[in-house]
C-alpha cells in the first residue's frame, strides 16, 4: 500500500484508472524521460552535434530496466538535482565514447516539460474517447425522453414543466463544448520543450531552433516556436479543461443524487449485484457513484487551481511553478479519468422513472402552470399587474388559480384552462432536436481518436 489513498491497494480505483496509472507510474515516467534523451541525441546527431554512433548507443541503453534505480535515487538525493541521478545512472551503462554526448545542452525542464507534452497527448486521448462515449449515451437518453414531461426546478423547488430529454440535452451540449475545447487546444498543448539554460538555446548557437524542431518531431510532438519555461498557460489550460469536464460530470451526478430521493423517485443508479449501501440500514439504496463524481470534481478543481497558480512565475525559470505541477497535473489527470469511467457507468445503467415524473407534475397541480397563465393574463391586463395578481391569488389558502382569477373577474375558467394547458414544453423539445442535430454533425465530421 502506498502512503496516499490514491496509490492504495484497497482504494486506488476510487482515485485513478489503470490506464492513467500506467502513464504516471514512476518507471513509466523514467522510461519516457529516457526516451526523450534518446530522441535528443538522435536530433543532435542529425545536425552533426554528436556522433551518430553515440546517438545509437544512447538510444539502445536508455531503458529503465537497464538502470540501477537505487543508485539513481541515491544520486538524486545526493546532488539535490531532479535529473542528475538519472543521467549518472545512464552513464554507468553507456560505452565510454558515448557518455559525454548524453543530455548535451538540455535542462531539467526540457525533460519534464516535454514529458508534460506527452502526458497531455496521452491523457487527452483518453479523455476524448471517454467523453465521446458519455456524449453518445446522453444523446440517446435525450432522444428517447424528448417528450417525457417532468417538473423543472429552480432553487431546489418545482417551477414549470420541462422534459427529461431537455435536461439531458443540456448535459450533452455542455459535453460537446468540452470536446470542442479538447480539439481546439490539442495543437497548443501537445508540444515539446527545448530551451536550455534560460530558453535562448545559446548552447546550440544557430542550430538551436532547428534542433528543437527535430527533437519534437522525434517524439511526435509539435514545435512550440519559442521556449515556455515560465509560460505555464498550456498546463494550466489543460488542467482547467479537465476540471471543467469533472464539473459537468458532477452536475450530472448531482441531478441523479437529488432526483433519486425516494420522495422524488424520478431517477436511480443501477444496483450492482453484491453492492451494499448501508451496513446498518438495509433498506437504503445510496447513489454512491453520483456522490463520488462530486468528490472527484472538488479535488480536480483544487489541483487545477495549483496549475493556474503556476502561471505566475519569475523571470526565465521559476521552480516554484513547475515543481508544483509535478504533483498537480498527474492528480487532475487521474481524477478526470476516474470521473469519466464512473460517469460512463452511471449513464449506461441509469434508471429513468417517467411514471414518477408524470406523477410529480400532477402532484404539484396548477402551480406548474403559473408561467403559462402569467403569459396569458399579461396579454389581457399587462405583465406587472398580472404578476402581482397571481402572487395574491396563489397565496390565498384554498384558492386555485382559476377560482381566484374568475372571482376577480379577470378571466373565465376556460381562458385559464387554455393558458395553463398551452404548449409549455414545445420549445424545450425543439431545443432537444437542435442539440441532437448539432452533435450528429460534429460527430460525423470529427475522428474517433484525438488527433
Amino acid at each position: 500500500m502506498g502512503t496516499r489513498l490514491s496509490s492504495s491497494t484497497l482504494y486506488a480505483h476510487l482515485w485513478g484508472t489503470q490506464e492513467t496509472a500506467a502513464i504516471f507510474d514512476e518507471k513509466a515516467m523514467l522510461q519516457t524521460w529516457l526516451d526523450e534523451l534518446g530522441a535528443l541525441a538522435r536530433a543532435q546527431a542529425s545536425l552533426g552535434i554528436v556522433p551518430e554512433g553515440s546517438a545509437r548507443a544512447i538510444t539502445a541503453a536508455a531503458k529503465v530496466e537497464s538502470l540501477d534505480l537505487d543508485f539513481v535515487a541515491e544520486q538524486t538525493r545526493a546532488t539535490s538535482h531532479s535529473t542528475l541521478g538519472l543521467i549518472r545512472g545512464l552513464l554507468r551503462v553507456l560505452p565510454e565514447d558515448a557518455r559525454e554526448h548524453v543530455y548535451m545542452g538540455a535542462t531539467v525542464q526540457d525533460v519534464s516539460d516535454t514529458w508534460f507534452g506527452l502526458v497531455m497527448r496521452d491523457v487527452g486521448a483518453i479523455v476524448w474517447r471517454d467523453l465521446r462515449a458519455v456524449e453518445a449515451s446522453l444523446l440517446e437518453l435525450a432522444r428517447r425522453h424528448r417528450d417525457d414531461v417532468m417538473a423543472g426546478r429552480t432553487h431546489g423547488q418545482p417551477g414549470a414543466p420541462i422534459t427529461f430529454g431537455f435536461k439531458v440535452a443540456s448535459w450533452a451540449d455542455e459535453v460537446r463544448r468540452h470536446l470542442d475545447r479538447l480539439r481546439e487546444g490539442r495543437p497548443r498543448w501537445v508540444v515539446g520543450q527545448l530551451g536550455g539554460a534560460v530558453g535562448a538555446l545559446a548552447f546550440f548557437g544557430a542550430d538551436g531552433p532547428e534542433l528543437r524542431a527535430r527533437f519534437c518531431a522525434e517524439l511526435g510532438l509539435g514545435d512550440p516556436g519559442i521556449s515556455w519555461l515560465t509560460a505555464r498557460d498550456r498546463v494550466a489550460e489543460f488542467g482547467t479543461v479537465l476540471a471543467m469536464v469533472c464539473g459537468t460530470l458532477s452536475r450530472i451526478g448531482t441531478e441523479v443524487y437529488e432526483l433519486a430521493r425516494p420522495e422524488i423517485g424520478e431517477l436511480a443508479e443501477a444496483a450492482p449485484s453484491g453492492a451494499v449501501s448501508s451496513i446498518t440500514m438495509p433498506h437504503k439504496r445510496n447513489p454512491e457513484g453520483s456522490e463520488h463524481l462530486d468528490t472527484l470534481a472538488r479535488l480536480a478543481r483544487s489541483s487545477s487551481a495549483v496549475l493556474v497558480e503556476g502561471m505566475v512565475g519569475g523571470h526565465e525559470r521559476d521552480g516554484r511553478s513547475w515543481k508544483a505541477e509535478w504533483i498537480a497535473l498527474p492528480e487532475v489527470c487521474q481524477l478526470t479519468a476516474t470521473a469519466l469511467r464512473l460517469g460512463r457507468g452511471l449513464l449506461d445503467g441509469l434508471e429513468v422513472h417517467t411514471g414518477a415524473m408524470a406523477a410529480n407534475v400532477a402532484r404539484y397541480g396548477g402551480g406548474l402552470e403559473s408561467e403559462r397563465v402569467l403569459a396569458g393574463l399579461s396579454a389581457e391586463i399587462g405583465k406587472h399587474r398580472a404578476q402581482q395578481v397571481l402572487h395574491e391569488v396563489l397565496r390565498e389558502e384554498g384558492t386555485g388559480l382559476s377560482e381566484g382569477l374568475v372571482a376577480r373577474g379577470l378571466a373565465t375558467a376556460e381562458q385559464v384552462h387554455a393558458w395553463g394547458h398551452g404548449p409549455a414544453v414545445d420549445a424545450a423539445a425543439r431545443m432537444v432536436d437542435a442539440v441532437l442535430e448539432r452533435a450528429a454533425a460534429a460527430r460525423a465530421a470529427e475522428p474517433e481518436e484525438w488527433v
Side-chain angles (χ1 to χ4, degrees), residues 358-424:
N360 285 332
V361 169
R363 178 161 63 93
Y364 300 138
L368 297 189
E369 302 168 4
S370 66
E371 183 183 24
R372 293 296 306 156
V373 173
L374 173 62
L377 187 60
S378 295
E380 299 293 326
I381 66 173
K383 189 267 181 184
H384 296 291
R385 185 184 173 202
Q387 184 178 37
Q388 181 61 37
V389 167
L390 289 179
H391 274 292
E392 294 171 359
V393 168
L394 289 169
R395 278 156 180 72
E396 290 178 359
E397 188 173 349
T399 302
L401 275 177
S402 183
E403 295 91 335
L405 293 177
V406 170
R408 285 170 169 75
L410 296 175
T412 66
E414 291 75 19
Q415 281 180 304
V416 177
H417 182 272
W419 295 335
H421 292 80

Side-chain angles (χ1 to χ4, degrees), residues 81-142:
H81 191 274
S82 300
T83 55
L84 191 51
L86 182 66
I87 300 307
R88 288 181 176 178
L90 178 57
L91 293 178
R92 295 176 87 189
V93 299
L94 275 172
E96 187 172 352
D97 61 352
R99 291 174 186 169
E100 294 302 325
H101 301 135
V102 173
Y103 201 61
M104 280 188 58
T107 68
V108 175
Q109 269 195 267
D110 292 330
V111 173
S112 63
D113 284 353
T114 299
W115 176 56
F116 279 174
L118 294 166
V119 161
M120 289 189 282
R121 180 194 68 188
D122 295 344
V123 172
I126 293 170
V127 173
W128 175 267
R129 179 200 67 200
D130 287 353
L131 203 55
R132 288 188 87 245
V134 166
E135 182 189 45
S137 295
L138 292 173
L139 293 172
E140 174 56 24
L141 277 171

Side-chain angles (χ1 to χ4, degrees), residues 246 293-303:
C246 288
L293 284 172
D294 190 56
T295 300
L296 294 168
R298 295 180 189 206
L299 293 169
R301 289 194 295 273
S302 174
S303 292

Side-chain angles (χ1 to χ4, degrees), residues 18-36 64-65 69 86 115 118-119 122:
Q18 291 183 345
E19 276 186 309
T20 48
I23 295 171
F24 295 110
D25 173 78
E26 184 173 46
K27 287 187 177 180
M29 179 192 73
L30 292 177
Q31 184 57 62
T32 301
W33 290 10
L34 291 168
D35 291 343
E36 293 174 30
V64 70
E65 60 269 17
L69 293 184
L86 182 66
W115 176 56
L118 294 166
V119 161
D122 295 344

Side-chain angles (χ1 to χ4, degrees), residues 38-384:
L40 177 61
R42 294 192 299 275
Q44 290 173 333
S46 72
L47 290 170
I49 298 172
V50 304
E52 289 280 355
S54 292
R56 288 193 297 270
I58 293 167
T59 298
K63 301 291 184 286
V64 70
E65 60 269 17
S66 301
L67 306 188
D68 181 347
L69 293 184
D70 289 335
F71 173 79
V72 171
E74 185 275 326
Q75 288 295 301
T76 302
R77 292 190 294 269
T79 61
S80 295
H81 191 274
S82 300
T83 55
L84 191 51
L86 182 66
I87 300 307
R88 288 181 176 178
L90 178 57
L91 293 178
R92 295 176 87 189
V93 299
L94 275 172
E96 187 172 352
D97 61 352
R99 291 174 186 169
E100 294 302 325
H101 301 135
V102 173
Y103 201 61
M104 280 188 58
T107 68
V108 175
Q109 269 195 267
D110 292 330
V111 173
S112 63
D113 284 353
T114 299
W115 176 56
F116 279 174
L118 294 166
V119 161
M120 289 189 282
R121 180 194 68 188
D122 295 344
V123 172
I126 293 170
V127 173
W128 175 267
R129 179 200 67 200
D130 287 353
L131 203 55
R132 288 188 87 245
V134 166
E135 182 189 45
S137 295
L138 292 173
L139 293 172
E140 174 56 24
L141 277 171
R143 183 199 61 76
R144 191 186 315 152
H145 297 285
R146 173 187 185 272
D147 301 313
D148 290 327
V149 178
M150 67 179 298
R153 295 170 172 88
T154 64
H155 301 278
Q157 304 299 309
I162 59 170
T163 71
F164 183 59
F166 172 77
K167 182 186 288 288
V168 175
S170 170
W171 303 339
D173 207 40
E174 192 168 316
V175 166
R176 172 46 51 182
R177 289 192 291 276
H178 293 322
L179 289 165
D180 290 343
R181 293 179 182 105
L182 286 169
R183 185 187 65 254
E184 294 161 1
R186 192 182 193 280
R188 292 193 293 273
W189 305 328
V190 183
V191 298
Q193 172 84 281
L194 184 63
V198 294
L201 290 169
F203 189 97
F204 306 108
D207 287 332
E210 179 61 23
L211 174 62
R212 183 186 60 218
R214 295 189 185 194
F215 169 63
C216 291
E218 284 280 346
L219 294 166
L221 297 174
D223 182 350
I226 188 172
S227 304
W228 49 284
L229 298 173
T230 48
R232 312 311 296 173
D233 60 293
R234 289 183 172 89
V235 181
E237 182 186 20
F238 182 74
T240 299
V241 169
L242 296 194
M244 290 171 69
V245 168
C246 288
T248 298
L249 293 169
S250 178
R251 180 163 88 92
I252 296 170
T254 296
E255 285 288 309
V256 177
Y257 181 96
E258 294 290 343
L259 298 181
R261 297 178 185 276
E263 60 269 30
I264 298 176
E266 295 175 352
L267 298 176
E269 291 186 12
S273 177
V276 177
S277 287
S278 173
I279 294 175
T280 57
M281 295 174 286
H283 71 282
K284 295 192 71 183
R285 184 174 170 182
N286 293 340
E288 300 279 359
S290 305
E291 184 177 68
H292 197 55
L293 284 172
D294 190 56
T295 300
L296 294 168
R298 295 180 189 206
L299 293 169
R301 289 194 295 273
S302 174
S303 292
S304 69
V306 173
L307 300 178
V308 174
E309 287 289 334
M311 291 181 64
V312 184
H315 305 302
E316 281 60 58
R317 187 191 302 280
D318 190 340
R320 294 172 297 181
S321 296
W322 52 269
K323 288 182 180 178
E325 293 168 354
W326 287 13
I327 297 291
L329 181 60
E331 283 290 309
V332 73
C333 290
Q334 287 264 57
L335 294 165
T336 304
T338 308
L340 283 162
R341 182 195 66 202
L342 191 59
R344 289 183 65 173
L346 173 68
L347 292 170
D348 288 345
L350 186 65
E351 297 179 11
V352 181
H353 302 303
T354 56
M357 292 176 180
N360 285 332
V361 169
R363 178 161 63 93
Y364 300 138
L368 297 189
E369 302 168 4
S370 66
E371 183 183 24
R372 293 296 306 156
V373 173
L374 173 62
L377 187 60
S378 295
E380 299 293 326
I381 66 173
K383 189 267 181 184
H384 296 291

